[in-house]
Amino acid sequence: MSYAQALPSKNDDDTKYYFAVHLMEDNDNGYYGISANMDVYGHNLNVGQLSAGAICIHNWEGDVNKKLNSIIVGWVVWPYRFNDSRTHLFTVWTKDNHQSTGCVNLDCPGFKLVKGSPISPGGIISPVSGINRKRQTITIRVSKESSSGDWWLYYGINGVPIPVGYFPASLFDSLSTKSTQISIGGHARSTTNNTTPPMGSGAFASNPGQAASIHDIWLIHKDGRSTPIGNDARTKVTDGKLYSASPIGRAQFFYGGPGGKS
């Protein structure tokens, strides 16, 4: 599932979804978290467009159509949701592939915000990067606490991340044990009467001087150790004419594109 498919839109039957991500899967050992620094951008979009950078944490065990457990976190420009073209922090969760559980941000009981949090899900991220302006970076860490099984979210902008809150283990079935798949990268959405929006900075990954980067990507293991993401993560791009993602090297990659007509 694309992150953008998990979010409500004005007319899902009239919506196109795109992504440019790296994907890691381990059904045996699993994953217990991820940390990454993500360049964060702003775009002037209309109500039929969405652009995001996201970390998607899934457990695909069992019947995924009915039992997909997911946590999704990142930054998004989403005028339909926020009635603006600002850049927002967002969270999404479900334990049944969004059939009857889960929501965006704090729309339903679930995510627990902690006292002193630097930002709430849905909060505005500022400042943001521009293709010809200084890069601004958010650090996102999502990790499973070993004793409680809760999944904690940490956030920082141009600095060390501090706790925002957590997804209680009781929200989930399979994800209360481990994640079996993590993807990270860019997502976009548009209605059919719209051009597809820019992703990342709006530059292709082949232009690292201007393209958005995600760097210092570390995977968290059951024993609490963290190791840099390997170069063997699969690359998945929906439409190479619109968007792209570079190979991973030194725990970093570039992604994005200008969008336009597919």
Side-chain angles (χ1 to χ4, degrees):
M1 172 188 285
S2 162
Y3 144 70
Q5 288 176 284
L7 304 180
S9 64
K10 194 170 184 179
N11 186 345
D12 285 333
D13 294 332
D14 190 36
T15 303
K16 300 172 291 185
Y17 305 94
Y18 302 88
F19 51 85
V21 302
H22 283 286
L23 180 69
M24 299 141 283
E25 294 178 296
D26 187 338
N27 291 323
D28 296 324
N29 297 315
Y31 303 103
Y32 295 81
I34 183 172
S35 176
N37 294 335
M38 310 174 74
D39 295 343
V40 58
Y41 286 85
H43 298 289
N44 186 20
L45 305 184
N46 64 48
V47 72
Q49 298 174 313
L50 175 152
S51 184
I55 294 170
C56 304
I57 299 171
H58 304 301
N59 188 303
W60 287 86
E61 295 173 323
D63 181 353
V64 296
N65 292 320
K66 297 179 179 179
K67 297 183 178 180
L68 176 64
N69 284 215
S70 297
I71 293 170
I72 307 173
V73 178
W75 63 265
V76 65
V77 181
W78 187 11
Y80 174 76
R81 163 78 187 200
F82 294 106
N83 295 312
D84 63 33
S85 204
R86 303 288 298 273
T87 304
H88 296 258
L89 178 73
F90 77 93
T91 61
V92 183
W93 71 273
T94 183
K95 73 170 185 178
D96 61 3
N97 199 21
H98 299 281
Q99 291 194 98
S100 62
T101 68
C103 62
V104 178
N105 298 334
L106 304 176
D107 286 359
C108 65
F111 185 82
K112 304 295 186 182
L113 197 67
V114 298
K115 185 177 180 180
S117 167
I119 191 172
S120 298
I124 293 172
I125 298 173
S126 182
V128 294
S129 315
I131 197 166
N132 294 311
R133 299 198 307 269
K134 179 181 178 182
R135 292 179 189 249
Q136 309 292 338
T137 301
I138 60 172
T139 301
I140 297 287
R141 175 187 169 101
V142 184
S143 57
K144 186 174 180 293
E145 205 275 323
S146 58
S147 59
S148 66
D150 300 336
W151 287 85
W152 278 82
L153 168 62
Y154 299 77
Y155 166 90
I157 182 163
N158 300 321
V160 176
I162 64 176
V164 174
Y166 62 95
F167 301 90
S170 59
L171 295 178
F172 304 107
D173 296 323
S174 56
L175 201 55
S176 65
T177 303
K178 65 181 179 181
S179 164
T180 60
Q181 183 191 90
I182 294 179
S183 70
I184 184 168
H187 299 257
R189 186 172 77 187
S190 66
T191 54
T192 54
N193 60 342
N194 269 288
T195 58
T196 57
M199 178 191 291
S201 70
F204 284 112
S206 56
N207 182 1
Q210 292 190 319
S213 75
I214 301 178
H215 56 281
D216 294 314
I217 308 169
W218 290 73
L219 298 174
I220 301 168
H221 305 284
K222 186 176 184 178
D223 60 6
R225 291 180 306 111
S226 296
T227 56
I229 188 174
N231 298 344
D232 56 346
R234 286 194 291 145
T235 306
K236 299 190 73 175
V237 177
T238 311
D239 189 334
K241 299 188 297 296
L242 302 178
Y243 309 112
S244 63
S246 71
I248 291 178
R250 297 183 178 180
Q252 171 180 264
F253 70 96
F254 297 91
Y255 74 95
K261 290 292 185 182
S262 59

